[in-house]
Amino acid sequence: MTVAEVAEVASLGIDWGTTSFRAYRLDAGGGVLAARRADAGIRAVDDGDFDGALEQLVGDWLDASPDVPVVMSGMIGSRQGWLEAPYLACPAAVADLAGALVPLDLARGRRVFVAPGLSTRSADGIPDVMRGEEVQILGAVDRIGVDRATLCLPGSHSKWARVEGGRVTGFATYMTGEAFDALRRHTILGSTIDHAAWDDAAFAAGVERSGAAGGLLHHLFGVRASGLFGELDPARSGAFLSGLVIGHELRAAVPEGASAGGDPVVLIGEAGLVRLYAEALARLGIPSREGPSDAAARGLHRLATHATEARGS
C-alpha cells in the first residue's frame, strides 16, 4: 500500500469469528481500501493469546495507522473470545451498538473496541442471540439505502432478522447448516449419499417435500426409505436432503403473509449458499435479492464513525 493510501485510512474493522478472521482498512466513506482473510478464528488461537494473534495478523496495519479507531466484532467478544462484550437487547440501531462498545487495551498500548452481540426473545419468551451478524445486517441496510427489510444470513446457524426504522427489531436462529452436516455425516442417511454429487432438480424436490404433511423428522426417514426402494439414488440424496432442511427453515422463518408482491428477502453470505436460498425462496413464491458483499466492512465503518463522534462530543 502506498503512503497516500495509508493516509486515507479512517478506521480499521475486524470481523473475528469462530473459524475465520477478516480485517479491513476503511476510508472515510466506508470504502474498503484493503482486506485480509485468514483461517485464524478464535478456535485457532493458541492458549488464548489473542493479542499475539492480532499483532501477527494486522500488526503492520496498526503501525501504519496509529491514530484511527479499531473496532472488532464477532465471536472475539464472546465468553470463548478475548473478552465478553455483553449482549444488547433488541431493538437496537448502530448508535446503540456503538454506545455499548467495550474498550480493550492492547499490549502495545493501543485501545481498540469490541462490539456487543444482540439478544431477543420469541413470542413465547425463548431467548435467542447473535454475535457478528448484527454488524453485517446494519451495514447491509445502510449500503442498500433502506431502513426496513427482512434479512437472511444462511449458514451453520442461519439468522432471520427484521429491521424497522434502521433498528434490528428481532430475529430468529435456525441450526440448518449444522444439522445438515450432522445428518449427512453422522446418521444412517450418510450411507445413502454420494457426497461429491449434486443435483439441482433433487434440491428443488426436497424443498417441495418440506411442505408436505408429517414434519421434518418423518421426512428425514423418507430419504432413507426412498433410497431402499431405488426412488432416490446416492447421486441425488445429498441435494434432496439439503433442499428438505432448507425448505423447512424457510417455511418456518418467512414472515407470515409474505408473497411475490412483498419486499424481497435480503440474502447475505457465501455465494453458493445465497444461490441455494434464492432458489428455495423462489420455489415458495418469495422474492429475494443478494445483499452487498461488503456488509460486514460497512457495518464496522458505521460503528467506528459513531464511536469517534461520541468520543469527540
Side-chain angles (χ1 to χ4, degrees):
M1 180 172 265
T2 67
V3 173
E5 288 173 321
V6 171
E8 293 177 354
V9 176
S11 63
L12 301 179
I14 296 169
D15 178 14
W16 204 341
T18 302
T19 59
S20 64
F21 174 99
R22 293 178 176 85
Y24 309 95
R25 269 176 159 162
L26 303 166
D27 65 21
V32 177
L33 298 169
R36 285 181 181 172
R37 184 192 182 284
D39 294 325
I42 64 170
R43 287 182 179 174
V45 176
D46 294 332
D47 301 321
D49 184 15
F50 296 106
D51 200 307
L54 186 68
E55 287 291 337
Q56 182 176 7
L57 292 162
V58 294
D60 58 331
W61 284 10
L62 295 171
D63 290 338
S65 305
D67 300 317
V68 304
V70 181
V71 176
M72 299 191 293
S73 66
M75 291 301 288
I76 193 64
S78 70
R79 292 180 186 177
Q80 295 76 40
W82 199 335
L83 87 169
E84 186 175 8
Y87 291 107
L88 185 65
C90 288
V94 170
D96 301 313
L97 287 168
L101 289 171
V102 177
L104 172 66
D105 293 325
L106 306 181
R108 63 162 56 214
R110 179 82 167 268
R111 172 161 286 191
V112 300
F113 296 89
V114 181
L118 290 184
S119 68
T120 191
R121 288 185 178 270
S122 64
D124 52 359
I126 304 303
D128 203 337
V129 296
M130 66 167 62
R131 194 178 284 280
E133 295 93 349
E134 71 288 339
V135 174
Q136 292 177 272
I137 290 166
L138 292 169
V141 295
D142 180 67
R143 177 61 78 189
I144 62 181
V146 299
D147 64 359
R148 63 181 296 272
T150 297
L151 303 97
C152 171
L153 290 78
S156 295
H157 301 159
S158 294
K159 305 290 185 181
W160 284 77
R162 185 66 185 168
V163 173
E164 295 278 359
R167 303 187 302 169
V168 180
T169 57
F171 58 89
T173 304
Y174 298 83
M175 289 181 59
T176 307
E178 188 169 357
F180 171 69
D181 194 59
L183 287 165
R184 71 190 182 103
R185 295 185 184 279
H186 303 295
T187 74
I188 196 170
L189 299 182
S191 63
T192 71
I193 294 173
D194 177 352
H195 295 279
W198 183 263
D199 186 283
D200 286 334
F203 176 80
V207 175
E208 291 295 326
R209 173 62 175 158
S210 69
L216 177 60
L217 296 180
H218 175 59
H219 293 170
L220 288 174
F221 194 76
V223 178
R224 162 70 172 167
S226 296
L228 291 174
F229 281 81
E231 298 172 11
L232 191 61
D233 60 74
R236 300 174 64 245
S237 291
F240 182 89
L241 178 62
S242 176
L244 184 65
V245 295
I246 289 175
H248 273 280
E249 175 194 329
L250 300 190
R251 293 178 194 277
V254 169
E256 186 176 352
S259 67
D263 294 334
V265 174
V266 180
L267 296 168
I268 303 171
E270 187 271 323
L273 267 181
V274 165
R275 179 184 68 83
L276 289 181
Y277 273 67
E279 291 178 4
L281 283 165
R283 301 291 300 185
L284 302 185
I286 306 299
S288 66
R289 62 178 293 185
E290 185 174 354
S293 60
D294 65 345
R298 182 68 175 182
L300 288 163
H301 161 72
R302 295 191 68 198
L303 283 179
T305 299
H306 277 267
T308 301
E309 291 173 350
R311 290 201 307 274
S313 60

